[in-house]
Amino acid sequence: MNGFLKSVCELSPLSEDAVNELSECLCSADFKKGETIHQEGKICKHLFFVESGLAKHQYFHEGSQFIFRFFEDNQFFIATDCFFNNLPAHYSTIALEDSEISYLKYEDFENLCSKYHCFETFARKFVSIVAYTAISNLKGLLYLDATARYAKFLNEYGHLQQRISLGDTAAFLGISQVSLSRIRSRK
Amino acid sequence: MNGFLKSVCELSPLSEDAVNELSECLCSADFKKGETIHQEGKICKHLFFVESGLAKHQYFHEGSQFIFRFFEDNQFFIATDCFFNNLPAHYSTIALEDSEISYLKYEDFENLCSKYHCFETFARKFVSIVAYTAISNLKGLLYLDATARYAKFLNEYGHLQQRISLGDTAAFLGISQVSLSRIRSRK
DNA sequence: GATAGTTTTTTACAAATGTAAAAAAATCAC
DNA sequence: GTGATTTTTTTACATTTGTAAAAAACTATC
């Protein structure tokens, strides 16, 4: 059983029928370090899952890179604009390491949702996690200064510190790399 | 039919049974301007709805007020920490005007979700909007400077400008009131 | 319309962060 | 290992934002 299926069942148990039908729909793809998993400006409605590797949601604004989130092994991700609103993606997702990605096409996702109550329950719980994580990050940006945000980052993503460059960390915190370097030297 | 019920059906049509059972569960309460709808630090798992009035999600950090979102007529809101994770609320919700609030208790929400597939679908779509809004605000905080965030605020909440004080606007933008005043005088 | 209270703007100065460029350190390829 | 490339740190200076306090503008009430 692959990680996608296992993670779905852990979040919300599926009926045997639902498991079988989901299994048949699942796709897989490999990405080398630096490759684009989906591209800003295009519509890509898959529900993705990191079987192994590491990825980032990346956006460029006035020449600077900003990172909304990192996704490590066993995490789902989506292009929110596409998935929720059928709009072109506002950001790209880039592999930070060689990564194996599973995905479910949106038509299949919607079909499973309407066919199986248990899958709809999974979908609600998955979206709840997306919402909760976004709000948690939003809070940090709103009322924490850069030093406190870096401490929060170390707390939540500390185990990834070796795998994420200083530039990417700064882009996630919304500060310049120089500023992050200053913060690190201060303590 | 009250606004709560109507908004649920607009987001996702409910079966007659589901409508009837939901109607019986709905509660209502009135709040005067300045009153607390739910209190930071306590667990409050209701799904709230603003029938009329205006409210804010408010949090104090090191003596300063921060506002996560405003909620006007016909909008749902929740205390996310409580609703999603059964944790004490990280913020309070305060009425900015005399407000009529409908709400559904979480036990009833969960019960309706498991009993009616159509209600579970509503729940997923509602949570999707929570997620999408949070991510939209997150983006703004991450890569826009204060001036651009204020322009975004005017664009999205402009119709509420008369009803929201400068102090509350600044608290929403994550900047000082002085700084917001400077931005306004600049243009 | 006068007074008191609140909200918004202005001022002056301090602190934090950004930009650009150079130096230092770490990593990679051969 | 050596040189080339990339990443991180340091430096100097400009800009933005914050804090505190005072002035001005606006509201509400009598």
Side-chain angles (χ1 to χ4, degrees), chain A residues 79-119:
Chain A
T80 43
D81 300 278
C82 313
F83 194 86
F84 290 138
N85 284 349
N86 207 30
L87 293 170
H90 190 257
Y91 50 79
S92 302
T93 302
I94 311 289
L96 287 173
E97 302 172 352
D98 294 355
S99 300
E100 187 192 347
I101 306 292
S102 303
Y103 61 94
L104 177 66
K105 290 180 185 148
Y106 187 77
E107 311 84 71
D108 293 328
F109 172 84
E110 269 289 350
N111 180 45
L112 286 162
C113 275
S114 59
K115 199 160 167 188
Y116 300 103
H117 190 159
C118 56
F119 192 83

Coordinates of all heavy atoms in Angstrom, one line a residue, chain A residues 79-119:
Chain A
A79 N -2.4 23.0 -5.3 CA -2.3 24.4 -5.8 C -3.6 25.0 -5.4 O -4.6 24.8 -6.1 CB -2.0 24.5 -7.2
T80 N -3.7 25.8 -4.3 CA -4.9 26.2 -3.7 C -5.8 26.9 -4.7 O -7.1 26.7 -4.7 CB -4.7 27.0 -2.4 OG1 -3.7 27.9 -2.6 CG2 -4.4 26.1 -1.3
D81 N -5.3 27.9 -5.4 CA -6.1 28.6 -6.3 C -6.8 27.7 -7.3 O -8.0 27.9 -7.6 CB -5.3 29.6 -7.1 CG -4.6 30.6 -6.2 OD1 -5.2 31.6 -5.8 OD2 -3.4 30.4 -5.9
C82 N -6.1 26.7 -7.8 CA -6.7 25.8 -8.8 C -7.7 24.9 -8.1 O -8.8 24.7 -8.6 CB -5.6 25.0 -9.4 SG -4.1 25.9 -10.0
F83 N -7.3 24.3 -7.1 CA -8.1 23.2 -6.4 C -9.4 23.8 -5.9 O -10.4 23.2 -6.1 CB -7.2 22.6 -5.3 CG -7.8 21.3 -4.8 CD1 -7.5 20.1 -5.4 CD2 -8.6 21.3 -3.7 CE1 -8.0 18.9 -4.9 CE2 -9.1 20.1 -3.2 CZ -8.8 18.9 -3.8
F84 N -9.3 24.9 -5.2 CA -10.5 25.5 -4.6 C -11.3 26.3 -5.5 O -12.5 26.4 -5.5 CB -10.1 26.3 -3.4 CG -9.6 25.5 -2.2 CD1 -8.5 26.0 -1.5 CD2 -10.2 24.3 -1.8 CE1 -8.0 25.2 -0.4 CE2 -9.7 23.6 -0.8 CZ -8.6 24.0 0.0
N85 N -10.7 27.1 -6.4 CA -11.4 28.1 -7.2 C -11.2 27.9 -8.7 O -11.6 28.9 -9.4 CB -11.0 29.5 -6.8 CG -11.6 29.9 -5.4 OD1 -12.5 29.2 -4.9 ND2 -11.1 30.9 -4.9
N86 N -10.6 26.9 -9.2 CA -10.4 26.7 -10.6 C -9.7 27.9 -11.3 O -10.0 28.2 -12.4 CB -11.8 26.4 -11.2 CG -11.7 25.6 -12.5 OD1 -10.8 24.8 -12.6 ND2 -12.6 25.9 -13.4
L87 N -8.9 28.5 -10.6 CA -8.1 29.6 -11.1 C -6.7 29.2 -11.4 O -6.2 28.2 -10.8 CB -8.1 30.8 -10.1 CG -9.4 31.5 -9.8 CD1 -9.2 32.4 -8.6 CD2 -9.9 32.2 -11.0
P88 N -5.9 29.9 -12.2 CA -4.5 29.6 -12.5 C -3.8 29.7 -11.1 O -4.1 30.6 -10.3 CB -4.1 30.8 -13.4 CG -5.3 31.2 -14.1 CD -6.4 31.1 -13.1
A89 N -2.8 28.8 -11.0 CA -2.0 28.8 -9.8 C -1.3 30.1 -9.6 O -0.7 30.7 -10.5 CB -1.0 27.7 -9.8
H90 N -1.3 30.5 -8.3 CA -0.6 31.8 -8.0 C 0.9 31.5 -7.6 O 1.6 32.5 -7.4 CB -1.4 32.4 -6.8 CG -1.0 33.8 -6.4 ND1 -0.2 34.1 -5.3 CD2 -1.3 34.9 -7.0 CE1 0.0 35.4 -5.3 NE2 -0.6 35.9 -6.2
Y91 N 1.2 30.3 -7.5 CA 2.6 29.9 -7.2 C 3.0 28.6 -7.8 O 2.1 27.8 -8.3 CB 2.8 29.8 -5.7 CG 1.8 28.9 -5.0 CD1 1.8 27.5 -5.0 CD2 0.7 29.5 -4.3 CE1 0.9 26.7 -4.4 CE2 -0.2 28.7 -3.6 CZ -0.1 27.3 -3.7 OH -1.1 26.6 -3.0
S92 N 4.3 28.3 -7.9 CA 4.7 27.0 -8.4 C 5.1 26.1 -7.3 O 5.3 26.6 -6.2 CB 6.0 27.2 -9.3 OG 5.7 28.1 -10.4
T93 N 5.1 24.8 -7.5 CA 5.7 23.9 -6.5 C 6.9 23.3 -7.2 O 6.9 22.8 -8.3 CB 4.7 22.8 -6.1 OG1 3.5 23.5 -5.6 CG2 5.3 21.9 -5.1
I94 N 8.0 23.4 -6.4 CA 9.4 23.0 -6.9 C 9.9 21.9 -6.0 O 9.8 22.0 -4.8 CB 10.3 24.2 -6.9 CG1 9.7 25.4 -7.6 CG2 11.7 23.8 -7.5 CD1 9.6 25.3 -9.0
A95 N 10.5 20.9 -6.6 CA 11.2 19.8 -5.8 C 12.5 20.4 -5.3 O 13.3 20.9 -6.1 CB 11.4 18.6 -6.7
L96 N 12.7 20.3 -4.0 CA 14.0 20.7 -3.4 C 15.0 19.6 -3.3 O 16.2 19.8 -3.1 CB 13.8 21.2 -2.0 CG 13.1 22.6 -1.9 CD1 12.7 23.0 -0.5 CD2 14.0 23.7 -2.5
E97 N 14.5 18.3 -3.5 CA 15.3 17.1 -3.6 C 14.7 16.2 -4.6 O 13.5 16.5 -5.0 CB 15.3 16.4 -2.2 CG 15.8 17.3 -1.1 CD 15.6 16.5 0.3 OE1 15.0 15.5 0.3 OE2 16.1 17.1 1.3
D98 N 15.4 15.2 -5.0 CA 14.7 14.2 -5.9 C 13.5 13.7 -5.1 O 13.6 13.3 -3.9 CB 15.7 13.0 -6.2 CG 16.9 13.5 -7.0 OD1 16.9 14.6 -7.5 OD2 17.8 12.7 -7.2
S99 N 12.3 13.7 -5.8 CA 11.1 13.4 -5.0 C 10.2 12.5 -5.8 O 10.1 12.6 -7.0 CB 10.3 14.7 -4.7 OG 11.1 15.6 -4.0
E100 N 9.5 11.6 -5.1 CA 8.5 10.8 -5.7 C 7.1 11.3 -5.2 O 6.9 11.4 -4.0 CB 8.6 9.3 -5.2 CG 7.7 8.4 -6.0 CD 7.6 7.0 -5.3 OE1 8.5 6.7 -4.5 OE2 6.7 6.2 -5.7
I101 N 6.3 11.7 -6.2 CA 5.1 12.3 -5.9 C 3.9 11.5 -6.4 O 3.9 11.1 -7.6 CB 5.0 13.7 -6.6 CG1 6.2 14.6 -6.3 CG2 3.7 14.4 -6.4 CD1 6.3 15.1 -4.9
S102 N 2.9 11.2 -5.6 CA 1.7 10.6 -6.0 C 0.6 11.7 -6.2 O 0.7 12.7 -5.6 CB 1.1 9.6 -4.9 OG 2.0 8.6 -4.6
Y103 N -0.3 11.4 -7.0 CA -1.4 12.4 -7.1 C -2.7 11.8 -7.6 O -2.7 10.8 -8.2 CB -1.0 13.6 -8.0 CG -0.7 13.2 -9.5 CD1 -1.6 13.3 -10.5 CD2 0.6 12.8 -9.8 CE1 -1.4 12.9 -11.8 CE2 0.9 12.4 -11.1 CZ -0.1 12.5 -12.1 OH 0.2 12.1 -13.4
L104 N -3.8 12.5 -7.2 CA -5.1 12.1 -7.6 C -5.7 13.3 -8.4 O -5.6 14.4 -8.0 CB -5.9 11.9 -6.3 CG -7.4 11.6 -6.5 CD1 -7.6 10.2 -7.1 CD2 -8.1 11.6 -5.1
K105 N -6.2 13.0 -9.6 CA -6.8 14.0 -10.4 C -8.1 14.6 -9.8 O -8.8 13.8 -9.1 CB -7.1 13.5 -11.8 CG -5.8 13.2 -12.6 CD -6.2 12.6 -14.0 CE -4.9 12.2 -14.8 NZ -5.1 11.1 -15.7
Y106 N -8.3 15.9 -10.0 CA -9.5 16.5 -9.3 C -10.8 15.9 -9.7 O -11.7 15.7 -8.8 CB -9.5 18.0 -9.6 CG -10.6 18.7 -8.8 CD1 -10.3 19.0 -7.5 CD2 -11.8 19.1 -9.4 CE1 -11.3 19.6 -6.7 CE2 -12.7 19.7 -8.6 CZ -12.5 20.0 -7.3 OH -13.4 20.6 -6.5
E107 N -11.0 15.5 -11.0 CA -12.3 14.8 -11.4 C -12.5 13.6 -10.5 O -13.6 13.3 -10.0 CB -12.2 14.4 -12.8 CG -11.8 15.5 -13.8 CD -10.3 15.6 -13.9 OE1 -9.7 14.7 -14.5 OE2 -9.7 16.6 -13.4
D108 N -11.4 12.8 -10.3 CA -11.5 11.6 -9.5 C -11.8 11.9 -8.1 O -12.5 11.3 -7.4 CB -10.2 10.8 -9.7 CG -10.0 10.2 -11.1 OD1 -11.0 9.9 -11.7 OD2 -8.9 10.1 -11.5
F109 N -11.1 13.0 -7.6 CA -11.3 13.5 -6.2 C -12.8 13.8 -6.0 O -13.4 13.3 -5.1 CB -10.4 14.7 -6.0 CG -10.7 15.4 -4.6 CD1 -10.1 14.9 -3.5 CD2 -11.5 16.5 -4.6 CE1 -10.3 15.5 -2.2 CE2 -11.8 17.1 -3.3 CZ -11.2 16.6 -2.2
E110 N -13.3 14.6 -6.9 CA -14.8 15.0 -6.8 C -15.7 13.8 -6.9 O -16.7 13.7 -6.2 CB -15.1 16.1 -7.9 CG -14.9 17.5 -7.4 CD -15.9 18.0 -6.4 OE1 -16.9 17.3 -6.1 OE2 -15.7 19.1 -5.8
N111 N -15.3 13.0 -7.8 CA -16.1 11.8 -8.0 C -16.2 10.9 -6.8 O -17.2 10.4 -6.3 CB -15.6 11.0 -9.2 CG -16.4 9.7 -9.5 OD1 -17.6 9.7 -9.5 ND2 -15.6 8.6 -9.6
L112 N -15.0 10.7 -6.2 CA -14.9 9.9 -4.9 C -15.7 10.6 -3.8 O -16.3 9.9 -3.0 CB -13.4 9.7 -4.5 CG -12.6 8.7 -5.4 CD1 -11.1 8.9 -5.2 CD2 -13.0 7.3 -5.0
C113 N -15.6 11.9 -3.8 CA -16.3 12.7 -2.7 C -17.8 12.4 -2.8 O -18.5 12.2 -1.8 CB -16.0 14.2 -2.9 SG -14.5 14.7 -2.0
S114 N -18.3 12.5 -4.0 CA -19.8 12.4 -4.2 C -20.2 11.0 -4.1 O -21.4 10.7 -3.6 CB -20.3 13.1 -5.5 OG -19.7 12.4 -6.6
K115 N -19.4 10.0 -4.4 CA -19.8 8.6 -4.4 C -19.7 8.0 -3.0 O -20.5 7.2 -2.6 CB -18.9 7.9 -5.4 CG -19.4 6.5 -5.8 CD -18.8 6.1 -7.1 CE -19.0 4.6 -7.5 NZ -18.2 4.2 -8.6
Y116 N -18.6 8.4 -2.3 CA -18.4 7.8 -0.9 C -18.4 8.9 0.2 O -17.5 9.7 0.2 CB -17.0 7.1 -0.9 CG -16.9 6.0 -2.0 CD1 -16.2 6.2 -3.2 CD2 -17.5 4.8 -1.8 CE1 -16.1 5.2 -4.1 CE2 -17.4 3.8 -2.7 CZ -16.7 4.0 -3.9 OH -16.7 3.0 -4.8
H117 N -19.3 8.7 1.0 CA -19.4 9.6 2.2 C -18.1 9.6 3.0 O -17.6 10.6 3.4 CB -20.6 9.2 3.1 CG -20.9 10.2 4.2 ND1 -22.1 10.3 4.8 CD2 -20.2 11.2 4.7 CE1 -22.1 11.2 5.7 NE2 -21.0 11.8 5.7
C118 N -17.5 8.4 3.1 CA -16.2 8.3 3.9 C -15.1 9.1 3.2 O -14.2 9.6 3.9 CB -15.9 6.8 4.1 SG -15.7 5.9 2.5
F119 N -15.1 9.2 1.9 CA -14.1 9.9 1.3 C -14.3 11.4 1.4 O -13.4 12.2 1.6 CB -13.9 9.5 -0.2 CG -12.7 10.1 -0.9 CD1 -11.5 9.4 -0.8 CD2 -12.7 11.3 -1.6 CE1 -10.3 9.9 -1.3 CE2 -11.6 11.8 -2.1 CZ -10.4 11.1 -2.0

